[in-house]
């Protein structure tokens, strides 16, 4: 290994180890690339502002060639910004040292000779790929005309307008459409240029002598395109019969070409539009924190979503039925048409990051278990609640990592049997579960400054307050639940009292508990 | 113990769950469905399944509706069947207890009109439970573990008998469950129309023969209570 190679290797390792370098690069990426970063959002607005002002200045200059002093300074300033931006984008487009090390380590590990030239060529190729990418070319064209020797390229300042593509997400769709339909558009372009070439050469051959307006091939080309585009200014008109035939044919081909072009772009737009809308919804989800993902918007999902939505919980609903999602969206919920069994979808929806709970409420056990498993693999902390369809599968849900799983049929079985033997206790159970009568279960937490802490249960004086203590949860003890504690049971800090009664009675008890220590 | 027959119309998962629990408690019951392909499954599970066309009134009468049938469950997946069956049975017998299940919100009202005594909505119940798990997970866990679960804490109803010491007492004067590890959730007062009143509503009830108390507690404690008050 010669000195130069060893220098490069050492330098690459140095970069790899340098925290400052990584942090700087990461910062630039947040600023320029990461779709959801706040920083990029402000930077984009700033750049749009620069672009618009510099183009306006160009327009101003048309009539006022002397310009304004401040504006000139401003243009210089914007140029500096654009150059810096260009260089930064060039820098972060790829990790050269990584590429270098990859090749180096590959060579070392496999006992192959390491070629410095080839590694550098690979790096350069990667960088070149970036330089010739459409957006990079636009960036470059937006900078070049500002240099004095290239003043004649001033019109290219208009290219700065194209730079706006970078800063607006929906603008990117246009670029995407064009790249996606590359093949169709290319075919069409070949056909169109063939027609134009034939048309313009025909008119040139037939009319150069007779028609005073057609003197050069350029005139013929201009006429052919104007005619083909169905614009037909009428400044140049064919005078010979042959020329008229050419014009007629050209018009027919022109209409066909334009219809073709329009249909390509429209159809591609339509398919893109759905995607665009979806990405909007994903962007909405990105703004949420601590939300609940509901997979399946069937009857169960609907009931849950409605109740949680009314309570102000943030929800994201996934279903593969478009109509159901439409229904959800009409109800003001965030809905996404997607197959929840695709693990990519759950990841994109932030399961594992910002979602706090996930509800598997589809009508298939296989799907529910699969979603449970996927969600658990994405996050250890997320709370998974699953609806079991067939009771025999319940165990699998817990194996897959669900926190809660239960089947409606089981509850139906219990309640149905209860109804036969004990109709009144069935009614009690029904009212306790549905809370239709206004009697609810609630939790009173004995926090740090709670009035009732270190007092016996007796002190709560619940029967006078028309409340009932169902039991006490004490998380640090096992069993954690103490059913119906006796009246001399001492309450501790952090105890959770499960109380039954009317809401306003519970609230007045809570108030007493909260302000108690002030006395 | 219940006298009279129990009929379960529709042989599906809910029906199997109900059947399993009824069997546990020693009740005799019959499944009725019109799909003969379910027979092997019923046999495997050890249940009696009669294949019959339940849309025919004669068939329903032959099962004893209007005579000795006291409970009917309509458990079909299709609400149409449930509503029609409920209506047919109610027309034949105005007194039989009909428990109907439903799968859509709109059908609840229709079943009520058709004459169902009580309506079980599995989706509603399921949805409500998920909702509770999210809003108040601790409470739901406790309820699941105690009332629904394995823990030896049950809900039971106790009818006041004529000879009981509780007959004729005022609830405010004696809190009967005080010395037992159980909770009096509420009661059914024969004199009042309402089916069930929570104890926390604060009415001062006079307990009479035929009133029903609903308690939660360990089975042993409930037994002790019943013995002490000769219930």
């Amino acid at each position: 290994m010669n000195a130069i190679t060893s220098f490069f290797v050492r330098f690459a390792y140095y970069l790899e180890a340098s925290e400052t370098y990584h942090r700087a690069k990461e910062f630039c990426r947040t600023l320029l690339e990461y779709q959801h970063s706040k920083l990029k959002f402000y930077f984009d607005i700033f750049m749009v502002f620069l672009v618009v002002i510099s183009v306006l200045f160009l327009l101003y200059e048309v009539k006022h060639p002397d310009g304004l002093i401040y504006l000139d300074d401003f243009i210089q300033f914007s140029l500096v910004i654009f150059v810096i931006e260009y260089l930064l984008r060039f820098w972060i487009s790829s990790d050269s040292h990584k590429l270098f090390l990859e090749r180096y380590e590959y060579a070392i590990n496999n006992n192959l000779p390491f070629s410095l030239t080839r590694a550098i060529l690979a790096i350069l190729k990667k960088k070149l790929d970036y330089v010739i990418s459409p957006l990079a070319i636009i960036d470059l064209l937006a900078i070049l005309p500002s240099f004095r020797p290239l003043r004649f390229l001033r019109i290219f300042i208009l290219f700065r307008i194209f730079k706006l593509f970078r800063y607006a997400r929906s603008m990117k769709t246009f670029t995407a459409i064009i790249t996606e339909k590359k093949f169709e558009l290319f075919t069409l372009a070949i056909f169109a240029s063939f027609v134009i070439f034939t048309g313009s050469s025909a008119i040139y051959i037939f009319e150069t002598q007779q028609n005073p307006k057609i003197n050069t091939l350029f005139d013929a080309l201009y006429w052919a395109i104007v005619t083909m585009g169905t614009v037909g200014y009428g400044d140049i008109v064919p005078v010979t019969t042959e020329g008229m035939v050419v014009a007629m044919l050209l018009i027919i081909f022109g209409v066909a070409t334009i219809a073709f072009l329009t249909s390509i772009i429209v159809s591609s737009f339509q398919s893109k539009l759905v995607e665009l809308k979806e990405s909007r919804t994903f962007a909405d989800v990105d703004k949420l924190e601590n939300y609940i993902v509901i997979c399946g918007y069937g009857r169960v999902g609907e009931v849950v979503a409605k109740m949680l939505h009314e309570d102000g919980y943030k929800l994201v609903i996934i279903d593969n039925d478009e109509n159901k999602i439409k229904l959800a969206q009409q109800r003001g919920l965030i809905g996404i048409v997607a197959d929840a069994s695709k693990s990519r979808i759950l990841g994109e929806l932030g399961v594992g990051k910002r979602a706090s709970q996930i509800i598997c409420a589809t009508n298939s056990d296989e799907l529910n278990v699969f979603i449970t498993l996927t969600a658990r693999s994405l996050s250890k902390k997320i709370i998974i609640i699953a609806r079991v369809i067939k009771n025999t599968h319940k165990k699998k849900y817990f194996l897959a990592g669900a926190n809660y799983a239960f089947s409606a049929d089981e509850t139906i079985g219990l309640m149905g049997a209860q109804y036969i033997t004990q109709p009144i206790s069935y009614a009690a159970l029904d009212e306790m579960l549905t809370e239709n009568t206004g009697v609810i279960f609630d939790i009173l937490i004995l926090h740090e400054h709670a009035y009732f802490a270190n007092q016996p249960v007796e002190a709560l004086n619940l029967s006078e307050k028309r409340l009932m203590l169902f039991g006490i949860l004490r998380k640090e003890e096992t069993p954690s639940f103490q059913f119906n504690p006796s009246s001399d049971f001492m309450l501790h800090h952090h105890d959770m009292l499960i109380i039954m009664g009317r809401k306003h009675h519970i609230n007045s008890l809570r108030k007493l508990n909260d302000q108690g220590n002030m006395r | 113990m219940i006298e009279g027959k129990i009929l379960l119309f529709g042989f599906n998962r809910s029906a199997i769950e109900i059947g399993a629990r009824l069997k546990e408690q020693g009740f005799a019951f019959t499944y009725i469905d019109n799909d003969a392909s379910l027979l092997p499954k019923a046999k495997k599970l050890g249940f009696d399944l009669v294949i019959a066309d339940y849309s025919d009134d004669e068939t329903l009468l032959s099962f004893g509706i209007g005579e000795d049938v006291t409970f009917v469950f309509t458990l079909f997946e299709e609400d149409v069947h449930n509503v029609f069956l409920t209506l047919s049975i109610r027309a034949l017998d105005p007194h039989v207890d009909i428990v109907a299940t439903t799968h859509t919100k709109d059908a609840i009202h229709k079943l009520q009109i058709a004459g169902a005594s009580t309506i079980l909505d599995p989706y509603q119940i399921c949805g409500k439970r998920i909702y509770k798990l999210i809003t108040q997970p601790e409470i739901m866990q406790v309820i699941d573990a105690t009332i629904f679960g394995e823990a030896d804490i049950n809900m039971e109803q106790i009818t006041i008998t004529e000879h009981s010491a509780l007959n004729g007492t005022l609830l405010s004067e004696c809190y009967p469950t005080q010395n037992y590890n159980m909770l009096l959730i509420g009661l059914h007062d024969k004199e009042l129309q309402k089916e069930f009143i929570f104890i926390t509503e604060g009415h001062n009830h006079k307990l009479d023969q035929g009133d029903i108390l609903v308690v939660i507690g360990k089975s042993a404690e409930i037994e002790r209570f019943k013995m002490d008050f000769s219930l």
Side-chain angles (χ1 to χ4, degrees):
Chain A
M1 197 193 292
N2 61 34
I4 302 168
T5 315
S6 92
F7 168 75
F8 269 104
V9 171
R10 244 184 292 149
F11 184 64
Y13 275 118
Y14 167 74
L15 284 182
E16 182 62 30
S18 161
E19 206 169 297
T20 329
Y21 173 81
H22 281 288
R23 225 181 295 141
K25 205 155 195 172
E26 189 58 26
F27 174 78
C28 291
R29 290 207 163 120
T30 333
L31 185 67
L32 298 170
E33 277 182 353
Y34 292 153
Q35 217 41 264
H36 308 306
S37 79
K38 267 259 141 63
L39 207 56
K40 175 173 153 49
F41 177 72
Y42 294 124
F43 177 76
D44 286 356
I45 289 180
F46 173 67
M47 291 307 277
V48 168
F49 173 74
L50 275 191
V51 166
V52 171
I53 293 287
S54 54
V55 170
L56 285 180
F57 178 65
L58 176 77
L59 297 179
Y60 177 81
E61 246 189 353
V62 174
K63 281 275 173 88
H64 309 81
D66 300 335
L68 287 168
I69 318 152
Y70 299 120
L71 277 177
D72 239 354
D73 289 345
F74 178 81
I75 288 298
Q76 289 305 320
F77 166 72
S78 71
L79 179 68
V80 171
I81 298 282
F82 286 144
V83 170
I84 292 174
E85 189 210 2
Y86 184 80
L87 292 176
L88 285 182
R89 279 188 198 280
F90 180 75
W91 179 46
I92 60 170
S93 68
S94 60
D95 283 320
S96 298
H97 71 280
K98 265 193 196 146
L99 212 66
F100 184 85
L101 286 181
E102 241 169 58
R103 284 184 155 258
Y104 177 71
E105 278 168 8
Y106 177 80
I108 295 289
N109 291 339
N110 293 294
N111 267 331
L112 294 168
F114 174 70
S115 154
L116 181 65
T117 346
R118 262 201 224 150
I120 288 176
L121 275 180
I123 289 167
L124 287 181
K125 189 178 171 297
K126 198 92 190 221
K127 288 289 182 198
L128 191 70
D129 280 347
Y130 171 73
V131 171
I132 59 169
S133 70
L135 283 174
I137 291 177
I138 288 174
D139 279 351
L140 191 64
L141 286 176
I143 301 170
L144 285 181
S146 303
F147 291 106
R148 293 210 182 277
L150 296 169
R151 236 8 201 192
F152 68 95
L153 285 173
R154 263 186 30 197
I155 194 64
F156 282 114
I157 284 198
L158 281 179
F159 266 94
R160 288 190 178 175
I161 294 275
F162 287 106
K163 265 175 83 69
L164 293 179
F165 276 105
R166 267 209 193 280
Y167 310 118
R169 202 183 300 177
S170 48
M171 289 266 210
K172 282 202 176 130
T173 324
F174 289 90
T175 346
I177 285 171
I178 296 193
T179 25
E180 209 167 84
K181 293 280 166 180
K182 222 193 266 167
F183 173 72
E184 285 93 333
L185 290 175
F186 184 66
T187 319
L188 193 67
I190 288 182
F191 175 72
S193 42
F194 169 76
V195 174
I196 290 168
F197 176 73
T198 323
S200 51
S201 32
I203 207 80
Y204 182 71
I205 292 164
F206 290 132
E207 302 229 332
T208 323
Q209 307 303 326
Q210 280 81 2
N211 198 334
K213 290 226 168 124
I214 298 177
N215 296 316
T216 59
L217 196 57
F218 180 76
D219 288 337
L221 186 71
Y222 166 74
W223 173 84
I225 290 176
V226 165
T227 308
M228 193 171 140
T230 71
V231 176
Y233 289 120
D235 49 351
I236 303 175
V237 284
V239 287
T240 60
T241 321
E242 295 91 336
M244 281 173 182
V245 172
V246 171
M248 285 189 288
L249 289 175
L250 203 55
I251 287 167
I252 291 168
F253 280 117
V255 169
T257 318
I258 284 174
F260 199 10
L261 182 74
T262 321
S263 79
I264 289 176
I265 291 180
V266 166
S267 73
S268 152
F269 241 106
Q270 257 166 355
S271 60
K272 254 294 175 313
L273 217 59
V274 181
E275 249 172 68
L276 205 66
K277 242 187 193 167
E278 206 168 76
S279 78
R280 262 284 149 76
T281 337
F282 275 107
D284 283 347
V285 175
D286 275 328
K287 287 182 204 134
L288 296 179
E289 288 285 337
N290 271 332
Y291 51 91
I292 303 165
V293 177
I294 301 179
C295 301
Y297 195 62
R299 266 276 280 157
V300 173
E302 216 183 305
V303 172
V304 176
K306 184 167 175 267
M307 288 189 286
L308 290 174
H309 186 60
E310 275 165 10
D311 279 14
Y313 283 86
K314 286 167 274 181
L315 308 172
V316 175
I317 292 162
I318 320 176
D319 199 305
N320 48 13
D321 186 342
E322 214 171 297
N323 294 329
K324 283 181 183 164
I325 289 301
K326 216 175 252 172
L327 199 70
Q329 282 166 345
Q330 276 165 9
R331 289 174 182 160
L333 301 163
I334 298 177
I336 290 167
V337 185
D339 188 350
S341 63
K342 301 251 169 25
S343 43
R344 189 181 57 87
I345 285 288
L346 293 185
E348 274 171 18
L349 285 176
V351 172
K353 279 180 232 142
R354 301 177 317 279
S356 55
Q357 279 126 337
I358 182 163
I359 299 170
C360 312
T362 67
N363 50 12
S364 135
D365 270 329
E366 283 136 19
L367 200 54
N368 281 346
V369 169
F370 194 85
I371 297 168
T372 304
L373 209 60
T374 314
R376 182 54 76 218
S377 68
L378 286 169
S379 163
K380 283 211 166 65
K381 271 192 280 176
I382 195 163
I383 292 169
I384 303 170
I385 300 170
R387 172 198 170 200
V388 181
I389 312 290
K390 215 171 166 189
N391 211 8
T392 43
H393 294 316
K394 197 167 172 180
K395 232 174 148 183
K396 289 170 199 161
Y397 282 87
F398 292 114
L399 279 177
N403 298 69
Y404 310 102
F406 53 87
S407 85
D409 291 318
E410 196 184 5
T411 319
I412 290 285
L414 185 92
M415 293 184 81
Q418 183 100 345
Y419 183 78
I420 288 190
T421 49
Q422 311 198 321
I424 301 302
S425 79
Y426 160 79
L429 190 63
D430 188 44
E431 283 182 10
M432 274 159 62
L433 287 178
T434 56
E435 299 180 341
N436 281 338
T437 47
V439 175
I440 60 165
F441 277 98
D442 211 340
I443 284 185
L444 184 75
I445 297 170
L446 296 188
H447 48 77
E448 289 300 326
H449 312 291
Y451 174 60
F452 292 113
N454 301 321
Q455 295 205 42
V457 166
E458 220 168 3
L460 292 167
N461 206 355
L462 286 177
S463 61
E464 206 168 89
K465 297 188 177 78
R466 292 192 178 186
L467 295 170
M468 198 170 83
L469 181 65
F470 189 76
I472 291 175
L473 264 178
R474 193 172 278 176
K475 291 224 158 130
E476 59 267 28
E477 279 176 23
T478 45
S480 58
F481 182 64
Q482 172 80 31
F483 171 74
N484 188 26
S486 59
S487 58
D488 54 357
F489 185 89
M490 282 306 275
L491 300 170
H492 289 178
H493 284 296
H494 310 303
D495 279 356
M496 292 177 169
L497 313 185
I498 295 182
I499 288 173
M500 197 187 87
R502 286 200 172 266
K503 195 164 189 134
H504 58 271
H505 290 139
I506 296 176
N507 282 344
S508 61
L509 178 72
R510 179 167 292 145
K511 229 180 224 164
L512 184 64
N513 184 46
D514 289 350
Q515 37 183 241
N517 69 325
M518 285 190 241
R519 276 191 254 159
Chain B
M1 227 32 180
I2 310 287
E3 293 139 40
K5 283 198 253 174
I6 300 170
L7 298 181
L8 287 88
F9 286 91
F11 187 71
N12 51 30
R13 288 192 307 268
S14 324
I16 294 168
E17 284 290 329
I18 294 177
R21 281 171 202 274
L22 290 179
K23 210 171 178 181
E24 239 169 61
Q25 296 173 29
F27 288 102
F29 54 92
T30 315
Y31 285 115
I32 297 154
D33 205 313
N34 62 351
D35 185 358
S37 65
L38 295 167
L39 273 173
K41 194 180 175 192
K43 206 172 170 191
K44 207 173 118 196
L45 290 166
F47 290 125
D48 285 332
L49 174 62
V50 178
I51 301 299
D53 176 17
Y54 48 79
S55 60
D56 183 19
D57 279 2
E58 295 294 317
T59 322
L60 292 178
L61 284 172
S62 72
F63 283 121
I65 285 175
E67 288 168 37
D68 58 346
V69 171
T70 43
F71 283 100
V72 171
F73 286 81
T74 69
L75 304 165
F76 292 106
E77 301 283 344
E78 295 289 321
D79 284 322
V80 189
H81 299 319
N82 287 333
V83 171
F84 186 75
L85 191 61
T86 306
L87 204 63
S88 318
I89 295 170
R90 183 54 79 219
L92 294 171
D93 184 354
H95 302 298
V96 67
D97 256 316
I98 304 174
V99 183
T101 55
T102 174
H103 299 93
T104 58
K105 220 185 300 168
D106 314 330
I108 296 176
H109 187 55
K110 289 187 189 105
L111 285 167
Q112 272 168 352
I113 297 173
S117 318
T118 193
I119 295 157
L120 293 173
D121 183 347
Y123 294 117
Q124 187 77 31
I125 291 169
C126 205
K128 192 86 195 185
R129 271 180 93 175
I130 294 177
Y131 168 74
K132 286 293 244 179
L133 272 174
I134 286 177
T135 51
Q136 302 174 314
E138 291 90 356
I139 290 179
M140 209 55 215
Q141 271 169 303
V142 165
I143 290 181
D144 268 357
T146 53
I147 302 170
F148 289 109
E150 311 290 308
D152 182 33
I153 292 172
N154 296 313
M155 198 173 201
E156 208 168 306
Q157 70 179 65
I158 299 168
T159 314
I160 308 280
T161 54
E162 197 186 344
H163 309 294
S164 167
L166 287 173
N167 190 358
T169 54
L170 276 171
L171 258 187
S172 62
E173 282 169 9
C174 70
Y175 188 65
T177 56
Q178 215 166 21
N179 300 317
Y180 304 86
N181 186 17
M182 57 193 248
L183 286 170
L184 177 62
I185 299 285
L187 72 161
H188 167 76
D189 196 327
K190 217 174 44 171
E191 290 149 28
L192 294 172
Q193 279 300 309
K194 234 177 136 199
E195 208 173 10
F196 178 78
I197 299 156
F198 280 102
I199 196 76
T200 55
E201 297 293 87
H203 303 300
N204 190 10
H205 291 281
K206 182 166 172 280
L207 298 175
D208 291 311
Q209 177 197 349
D211 288 352
I212 298 165
L213 305 176
V214 175
V215 296
I216 293 181
K218 289 199 164 93
S219 327
E221 282 292 292
I222 295 174
E223 280 310 309
R224 192 162 72 89
F225 175 78
K226 280 206 226 158
M227 289 281 282
D228 289 355
F229 287 97
S230 52
L231 293 165

